Amino acid sequence: MNRLGESIITQTKVFYGWYVVMSGFVIMFAAFSIINALHSLFLVPVTEDLGMSRTTFSLALSITGLGVAGASPFMGRFLVKSNMKLIMSVCVIVAGLGFASFSLANSALYFCVVGFLIGICVAGFSNIPISIMITNWFYEKKGMAMGIAFAGSGVGAAALSPLLSSFIEQFGWRISYVIAGGLVIVITLPFVLLFTKKSPIEKGVIALGSNNQVTTVQLHEEESGMTVGEAKTSAKFWLFIIGIVCFALVAGGVQMHIPAYLVDIGHPVLFAGTIFGLLSLTNTVGKLILGVVLDKFRTVGGAIYVGICMTIAMLALLSATTQSLAFVFAIAYGLSISIATLGPPFMTDDLFGKKNFGQLFGIVQVFFVATSSLGVIVSGFIYDVTNSYRFAWIFFMCLFILGMACVLIATSIKKNHP
């Protein structure tokens, strides 16, 4: 039997790409959620013990994001050209050991230096390689695959938060850093070693939804798309970048200020926490829903869908003095802001093709990571100037609509000038 026949028989069993998706889910569940979302659990015990201000600690943690942004352009190219499994494995180990080494910290400088190194490693094991693999493995159901993989971060934050909080309470923050760093390695590394496959060629099969009449080698050779140079000189690339920047600013600028805003307008602290938790839950579900929408309606349908949801969310937020509208906000915002996770990789592939996806997505990630942290500052600035969040919410709603419009125009250019 020829290789193509063997490939088709293999895919009638369990398509190996779903194991790749499972690996991505675990990476986001453990390593990504611990290093990113759950690091905030250490804020109070670390600052109180070291006599460090919360602002200083928060700024030190933001250095991790700078590491991700700085590494993203070359990491995308490096992962495509080199041994992806080896790179991801080294990055997971170094990131886990680095996180555990925070137990030795006695100053903000230590958190900054090690955090920057960890950020470089995060770029090497999370969004970029997972997106590259899923883009290679899935021509059909790519959105669903990305939705499942990236949902791991939300599930991980929810599942591991009480566990890590318990460790901090029982053993203190230093020992808990060691435990958390160990969890990053112990949970994540086996899945990277067992299931990481850059493309179907490594398993001798073809991508899901590709033309079954060509071999994987032929398919690889026939991949089309823009080169990095072509993209950088095209209007649609920079329109797309503006759209991604708008999404990133909204993602960073709204969510972190929600508890404070709800308390300001008269809701109890407990209710504000409930809404914040619901928002995180619906964001996880939203990734799965948006993945299906993107598969069926591509970039245009996905942009319109999240634009409608975000408009509903922000209008509800502006009137959230009633609890029912606060719930509407949490659901609609969670569904819409999932575009911040799925939009960059899916749309990069959809608009610019697979030919240089890794390098182009690495560039896109620089803009996304660099601007998402600015959103929190923008919200705080508007509040300080106006003594209200209302103008901030109106600004972010308009910004999101602008981002949606830029993506739609970029898609239109793609159709007219492929």
Side-chain angles (χ1 to χ4, degrees), residues 8 40 73 114 125 131-132 144 154 165 169 182 192 202 227 248 254 265 296 299 323-324 373-375 389 410:
I8 294 173
S40 60
V114 177
F125 71 68
S131 298
I132 291 172
M144 178 189 295
S165 297
E169 184 177 352
V192 173
E202 295 185 21
T227 65
V254 175
I265 61 177
K296 188 171 182 62
T299 294
Q323 291 189 354
S324 59
S373 59
L374 294 178
Y389 282 109

PDB file of all heavy atoms in Angstrom, residues 8 40 73 114 125 131-132 144 154 165 169 182 192 202 227 248 254 265 296 299 323-324 373-375 389 410:
ATOM      1  N   ILE A   8      -4.589   7.782   4.685  1.00  0.00           N
ATOM      2  CA  ILE A   8      -6.048   7.852   4.754  1.00  0.00           C
ATOM      3  C   ILE A   8      -6.594   6.857   5.765  1.00  0.00           C
ATOM      4  O   ILE A   8      -7.495   7.155   6.551  1.00  0.00           O
ATOM      5  CB  ILE A   8      -6.653   7.593   3.359  1.00  0.00           C
ATOM      6  CG1 ILE A   8      -6.249   8.735   2.418  1.00  0.00           C
ATOM      7  CG2 ILE A   8      -8.168   7.487   3.434  1.00  0.00           C
ATOM      8  CD1 ILE A   8      -6.645   8.495   0.975  1.00  0.00           C
ATOM      9  N   SER A  40      -0.642  36.402  39.916  1.00  0.00           N
ATOM     10  CA  SER A  40      -1.222  37.486  40.704  1.00  0.00           C
ATOM     11  C   SER A  40      -1.578  37.042  42.121  1.00  0.00           C
ATOM     12  O   SER A  40      -1.706  37.875  43.028  1.00  0.00           O
ATOM     13  CB  SER A  40      -2.472  38.035  40.013  1.00  0.00           C
ATOM     14  OG  SER A  40      -3.457  37.019  39.860  1.00  0.00           O
ATOM     15  N   PRO A  73       9.115  37.775  17.535  1.00  0.00           N
ATOM     16  CA  PRO A  73       9.482  37.800  16.108  1.00  0.00           C
ATOM     17  C   PRO A  73      10.470  36.704  15.720  1.00  0.00           C
ATOM     18  O   PRO A  73      10.259  35.995  14.737  1.00  0.00           O
ATOM     19  CB  PRO A  73      10.097  39.190  15.931  1.00  0.00           C
ATOM     20  CG  PRO A  73       9.595  39.999  17.057  1.00  0.00           C
ATOM     21  CD  PRO A  73       9.433  39.043  18.191  1.00  0.00           C
ATOM     22  N   VAL A 114      14.523  37.619  36.069  1.00  0.00           N
ATOM     23  CA  VAL A 114      14.052  36.254  35.847  1.00  0.00           C
ATOM     24  C   VAL A 114      12.734  36.268  35.069  1.00  0.00           C
ATOM     25  O   VAL A 114      12.502  35.422  34.208  1.00  0.00           O
ATOM     26  CB  VAL A 114      13.882  35.512  37.188  1.00  0.00           C
ATOM     27  CG1 VAL A 114      13.310  34.115  36.967  1.00  0.00           C
ATOM     28  CG2 VAL A 114      15.227  35.423  37.910  1.00  0.00           C
ATOM     29  N   PHE A 125       6.881  28.234  24.112  1.00  0.00           N
ATOM     30  CA  PHE A 125       6.104  27.014  24.341  1.00  0.00           C
ATOM     31  C   PHE A 125       4.589  27.199  24.273  1.00  0.00           C
ATOM     32  O   PHE A 125       3.850  26.215  24.365  1.00  0.00           O
ATOM     33  CB  PHE A 125       6.475  26.359  25.686  1.00  0.00           C
ATOM     34  CG  PHE A 125       6.024  27.088  26.920  1.00  0.00           C
ATOM     35  CD1 PHE A 125       4.690  27.190  27.248  1.00  0.00           C
ATOM     36  CD2 PHE A 125       6.941  27.650  27.791  1.00  0.00           C
ATOM     37  CE1 PHE A 125       4.272  27.846  28.399  1.00  0.00           C
ATOM     38  CE2 PHE A 125       6.552  28.303  28.943  1.00  0.00           C
ATOM     39  CZ  PHE A 125       5.199  28.400  29.240  1.00  0.00           C
ATOM     40  N   SER A 131      -0.166  27.603  17.817  1.00  0.00           N
ATOM     41  CA  SER A 131      -0.826  28.123  16.617  1.00  0.00           C
ATOM     42  C   SER A 131      -0.189  27.573  15.344  1.00  0.00           C
ATOM     43  O   SER A 131      -0.892  27.239  14.382  1.00  0.00           O
ATOM     44  CB  SER A 131      -0.771  29.652  16.604  1.00  0.00           C
ATOM     45  OG  SER A 131      -1.460  30.200  17.708  1.00  0.00           O
ATOM     46  N   ILE A 132       1.138  27.467  15.329  1.00  0.00           N
ATOM     47  CA  ILE A 132       1.828  26.918  14.158  1.00  0.00           C
ATOM     48  C   ILE A 132       1.397  25.472  13.932  1.00  0.00           C
ATOM     49  O   ILE A 132       1.075  25.064  12.809  1.00  0.00           O
ATOM     50  CB  ILE A 132       3.357  27.003  14.338  1.00  0.00           C
ATOM     51  CG1 ILE A 132       3.817  28.463  14.300  1.00  0.00           C
ATOM     52  CG2 ILE A 132       4.077  26.196  13.254  1.00  0.00           C
ATOM     53  CD1 ILE A 132       5.284  28.659  14.661  1.00  0.00           C
ATOM     54  N   MET A 144     -12.162  25.412  15.670  1.00  0.00           N
ATOM     55  CA  MET A 144     -12.554  24.560  16.799  1.00  0.00           C
ATOM     56  C   MET A 144     -11.317  24.050  17.528  1.00  0.00           C
ATOM     57  O   MET A 144     -11.265  24.039  18.776  1.00  0.00           O
ATOM     58  CB  MET A 144     -13.379  23.373  16.307  1.00  0.00           C
ATOM     59  CG  MET A 144     -13.780  22.401  17.412  1.00  0.00           C
ATOM     60  SD  MET A 144     -14.541  20.880  16.785  1.00  0.00           S
ATOM     61  CE  MET A 144     -16.043  21.541  16.070  1.00  0.00           C
ATOM     62  N   GLY A 154      -8.142  29.212  30.536  1.00  0.00           N
ATOM     63  CA  GLY A 154      -9.244  29.551  31.424  1.00  0.00           C
ATOM     64  C   GLY A 154      -9.576  28.427  32.388  1.00  0.00           C
ATOM     65  O   GLY A 154      -9.818  28.652  33.584  1.00  0.00           O
ATOM     66  N   SER A 165      -3.710  28.753  45.863  1.00  0.00           N
ATOM     67  CA  SER A 165      -4.032  29.617  47.008  1.00  0.00           C
ATOM     68  C   SER A 165      -3.873  28.852  48.316  1.00  0.00           C
ATOM     69  O   SER A 165      -3.374  29.386  49.318  1.00  0.00           O
ATOM     70  CB  SER A 165      -5.466  30.144  46.881  1.00  0.00           C
ATOM     71  OG  SER A 165      -5.614  30.962  45.741  1.00  0.00           O
ATOM     72  N   GLU A 169      -1.269  29.623  51.448  1.00  0.00           N
ATOM     73  CA  GLU A 169      -1.762  29.786  52.819  1.00  0.00           C
ATOM     74  C   GLU A 169      -1.077  28.810  53.773  1.00  0.00           C
ATOM     75  O   GLU A 169      -0.748  29.166  54.914  1.00  0.00           O
ATOM     76  CB  GLU A 169      -3.270  29.564  52.847  1.00  0.00           C
ATOM     77  CG  GLU A 169      -3.895  29.805  54.208  1.00  0.00           C
ATOM     78  CD  GLU A 169      -5.407  29.645  54.193  1.00  0.00           C
ATOM     79  OE1 GLU A 169      -5.990  29.505  53.097  1.00  0.00           O
ATOM     80  OE2 GLU A 169      -6.008  29.668  55.287  1.00  0.00           O
ATOM     81  N   GLY A 182       7.374  23.493  39.801  1.00  0.00           N
ATOM     82  CA  GLY A 182       7.404  22.052  39.572  1.00  0.00           C
ATOM     83  C   GLY A 182       6.192  21.578  38.787  1.00  0.00           C
ATOM     84  O   GLY A 182       6.310  20.718  37.898  1.00  0.00           O
ATOM     85  N   VAL A 192       4.401  17.632  25.907  1.00  0.00           N
ATOM     86  CA  VAL A 192       5.247  18.197  24.848  1.00  0.00           C
ATOM     87  C   VAL A 192       6.095  17.095  24.213  1.00  0.00           C
ATOM     88  O   VAL A 192       6.198  16.997  22.985  1.00  0.00           O
ATOM     89  CB  VAL A 192       6.154  19.309  25.413  1.00  0.00           C
ATOM     90  CG1 VAL A 192       7.156  19.775  24.356  1.00  0.00           C
ATOM     91  CG2 VAL A 192       5.321  20.488  25.889  1.00  0.00           C
ATOM     92  N   GLU A 202       5.471  14.767   9.756  1.00  0.00           N
ATOM     93  CA  GLU A 202       6.226  14.014  10.754  1.00  0.00           C
ATOM     94  C   GLU A 202       5.559  12.693  11.105  1.00  0.00           C
ATOM     95  O   GLU A 202       6.211  11.786  11.617  1.00  0.00           O
ATOM     96  CB  GLU A 202       6.408  14.863  12.018  1.00  0.00           C
ATOM     97  CG  GLU A 202       7.251  16.116  11.812  1.00  0.00           C
ATOM     98  CD  GLU A 202       7.512  16.861  13.107  1.00  0.00           C
ATOM     99  OE1 GLU A 202       7.402  16.242  14.182  1.00  0.00           O
ATOM    100  OE2 GLU A 202       7.822  18.066  13.055  1.00  0.00           O
ATOM    101  N   THR A 227       4.945  36.349   1.594  1.00  0.00           N
ATOM    102  CA  THR A 227       6.204  36.361   2.323  1.00  0.00           C
ATOM    103  C   THR A 227       6.148  37.490   3.354  1.00  0.00           C
ATOM    104  O   THR A 227       5.273  38.358   3.304  1.00  0.00           O
ATOM    105  CB  THR A 227       7.389  36.603   1.383  1.00  0.00           C
ATOM    106  OG1 THR A 227       7.275  37.924   0.824  1.00  0.00           O
ATOM    107  CG2 THR A 227       7.401  35.578   0.251  1.00  0.00           C
ATOM    108  N   ALA A 248      -6.492  44.123  21.413  1.00  0.00           N
ATOM    109  CA  ALA A 248      -5.602  43.943  22.557  1.00  0.00           C
ATOM    110  C   ALA A 248      -5.828  45.018  23.618  1.00  0.00           C
ATOM    111  O   ALA A 248      -5.855  44.732  24.821  1.00  0.00           O
ATOM    112  CB  ALA A 248      -4.144  43.967  22.093  1.00  0.00           C
ATOM    113  N   VAL A 254     -10.367  46.635  29.859  1.00  0.00           N
ATOM    114  CA  VAL A 254     -11.697  46.521  30.464  1.00  0.00           C
ATOM    115  C   VAL A 254     -11.697  45.573  31.654  1.00  0.00           C
ATOM    116  O   VAL A 254     -12.099  45.936  32.767  1.00  0.00           O
ATOM    117  CB  VAL A 254     -12.742  46.068  29.419  1.00  0.00           C
ATOM    118  CG1 VAL A 254     -14.097  45.842  30.090  1.00  0.00           C
ATOM    119  CG2 VAL A 254     -12.856  47.101  28.308  1.00  0.00           C
ATOM    120  N   ILE A 265     -20.218  51.789  41.422  1.00  0.00           N
ATOM    121  CA  ILE A 265     -21.608  52.121  41.076  1.00  0.00           C
ATOM    122  C   ILE A 265     -22.611  51.493  42.042  1.00  0.00           C
ATOM    123  O   ILE A 265     -23.815  51.497  41.776  1.00  0.00           O
ATOM    124  CB  ILE A 265     -21.952  51.730  39.627  1.00  0.00           C
ATOM    125  CG1 ILE A 265     -21.803  50.217  39.403  1.00  0.00           C
ATOM    126  CG2 ILE A 265     -21.079  52.501  38.652  1.00  0.00           C
ATOM    127  CD1 ILE A 265     -22.203  49.766  38.003  1.00  0.00           C
ATOM    128  N   LYS A 296     -16.911  28.156  10.271  1.00  0.00           N
ATOM    129  CA  LYS A 296     -18.044  28.205   9.357  1.00  0.00           C
ATOM    130  C   LYS A 296     -18.088  29.490   8.537  1.00  0.00           C
ATOM    131  O   LYS A 296     -18.380  29.478   7.341  1.00  0.00           O
ATOM    132  CB  LYS A 296     -19.357  28.051  10.135  1.00  0.00           C
ATOM    133  CG  LYS A 296     -20.585  27.892   9.243  1.00  0.00           C
ATOM    134  CD  LYS A 296     -21.806  27.524  10.051  1.00  0.00           C
ATOM    135  CE  LYS A 296     -23.032  27.316   9.170  1.00  0.00           C
ATOM    136  NZ  LYS A 296     -22.850  26.199   8.216  1.00  0.00           N
ATOM    137  N   THR A 299     -13.067  34.752   8.751  1.00  0.00           N
ATOM    138  CA  THR A 299     -12.718  36.000   9.440  1.00  0.00           C
ATOM    139  C   THR A 299     -13.870  36.992   9.458  1.00  0.00           C
ATOM    140  O   THR A 299     -14.142  37.638  10.480  1.00  0.00           O
ATOM    141  CB  THR A 299     -11.481  36.635   8.780  1.00  0.00           C
ATOM    142  OG1 THR A 299     -10.347  35.772   8.993  1.00  0.00           O
ATOM    143  CG2 THR A 299     -11.182  38.002   9.376  1.00  0.00           C
ATOM    144  N   GLN A 323     -28.392  44.540  38.530  1.00  0.00           N
ATOM    145  CA  GLN A 323     -27.616  43.304  38.513  1.00  0.00           C
ATOM    146  C   GLN A 323     -27.824  42.506  37.226  1.00  0.00           C
ATOM    147  O   GLN A 323     -26.890  41.887  36.717  1.00  0.00           O
ATOM    148  CB  GLN A 323     -27.974  42.450  39.731  1.00  0.00           C
ATOM    149  CG  GLN A 323     -27.507  43.032  41.051  1.00  0.00           C
ATOM    150  CD  GLN A 323     -27.668  42.067  42.213  1.00  0.00           C
ATOM    151  OE1 GLN A 323     -28.228  40.979  42.061  1.00  0.00           O
ATOM    152  NE2 GLN A 323     -27.182  42.458  43.386  1.00  0.00           N
ATOM    153  N   SER A 324     -29.040  42.531  36.688  1.00  0.00           N
ATOM    154  CA  SER A 324     -29.322  41.755  35.484  1.00  0.00           C
ATOM    155  C   SER A 324     -28.454  42.210  34.319  1.00  0.00           C
ATOM    156  O   SER A 324     -27.926  41.387  33.552  1.00  0.00           O
ATOM    157  CB  SER A 324     -30.803  41.872  35.107  1.00  0.00           C
ATOM    158  OG  SER A 324     -31.162  43.226  34.887  1.00  0.00           O
ATOM    159  N   SER A 373      -1.057  45.264  27.529  1.00  0.00           N
ATOM    160  CA  SER A 373      -0.771  45.782  28.873  1.00  0.00           C
ATOM    161  C   SER A 373      -1.037  47.280  28.982  1.00  0.00           C
ATOM    162  O   SER A 373      -1.232  47.805  30.077  1.00  0.00           O
ATOM    163  CB  SER A 373       0.684  45.495  29.243  1.00  0.00           C
ATOM    164  OG  SER A 373       1.568  46.093  28.320  1.00  0.00           O
ATOM    165  N   LEU A 374      -1.063  47.974  27.854  1.00  0.00           N
ATOM    166  CA  LEU A 374      -1.319  49.414  27.877  1.00  0.00           C
ATOM    167  C   LEU A 374      -2.783  49.728  28.174  1.00  0.00           C
ATOM    168  O   LEU A 374      -3.106  50.818  28.641  1.00  0.00           O
ATOM    169  CB  LEU A 374      -0.929  50.043  26.531  1.00  0.00           C
ATOM    170  CG  LEU A 374       0.557  50.022  26.167  1.00  0.00           C
ATOM    171  CD1 LEU A 374       0.763  50.638  24.789  1.00  0.00           C
ATOM    172  CD2 LEU A 374       1.382  50.765  27.212  1.00  0.00           C
ATOM    173  N   GLY A 375      -3.669  48.760  27.882  1.00  0.00           N
ATOM    174  CA  GLY A 375      -5.090  48.992  28.089  1.00  0.00           C
ATOM    175  C   GLY A 375      -5.420  49.326  29.526  1.00  0.00           C
ATOM    176  O   GLY A 375      -6.247  50.202  29.802  1.00  0.00           O
ATOM    177  N   TYR A 389     -15.504  55.766  35.053  1.00  0.00           N
ATOM    178  CA  TYR A 389     -15.129  54.796  34.028  1.00  0.00           C
ATOM    179  C   TYR A 389     -16.005  54.896  32.775  1.00  0.00           C
ATOM    180  O   TYR A 389     -15.717  54.244  31.773  1.00  0.00           O
ATOM    181  CB  TYR A 389     -15.242  53.365  34.583  1.00  0.00           C
ATOM    182  CG  TYR A 389     -14.099  52.948  35.468  1.00  0.00           C
ATOM    183  CD1 TYR A 389     -14.285  52.786  36.843  1.00  0.00           C
ATOM    184  CD2 TYR A 389     -12.842  52.700  34.938  1.00  0.00           C
ATOM    185  CE1 TYR A 389     -13.244  52.385  37.668  1.00  0.00           C
ATOM    186  CE2 TYR A 389     -11.788  52.295  35.747  1.00  0.00           C
ATOM    187  CZ  TYR A 389     -11.994  52.133  37.111  1.00  0.00           C
ATOM    188  OH  TYR A 389     -10.954  51.740  37.922  1.00  0.00           O
ATOM    189  N   ALA A 410      -9.412  44.714   5.691  1.00  0.00           N
ATOM    190  CA  ALA A 410      -8.251  43.896   5.317  1.00  0.00           C
ATOM    191  C   ALA A 410      -8.699  42.621   4.597  1.00  0.00           C
ATOM    192  O   ALA A 410      -8.077  42.189   3.619  1.00  0.00           O
ATOM    193  CB  ALA A 410      -7.425  43.535   6.558  1.00  0.00           C
TER     194      ALA A 410
END
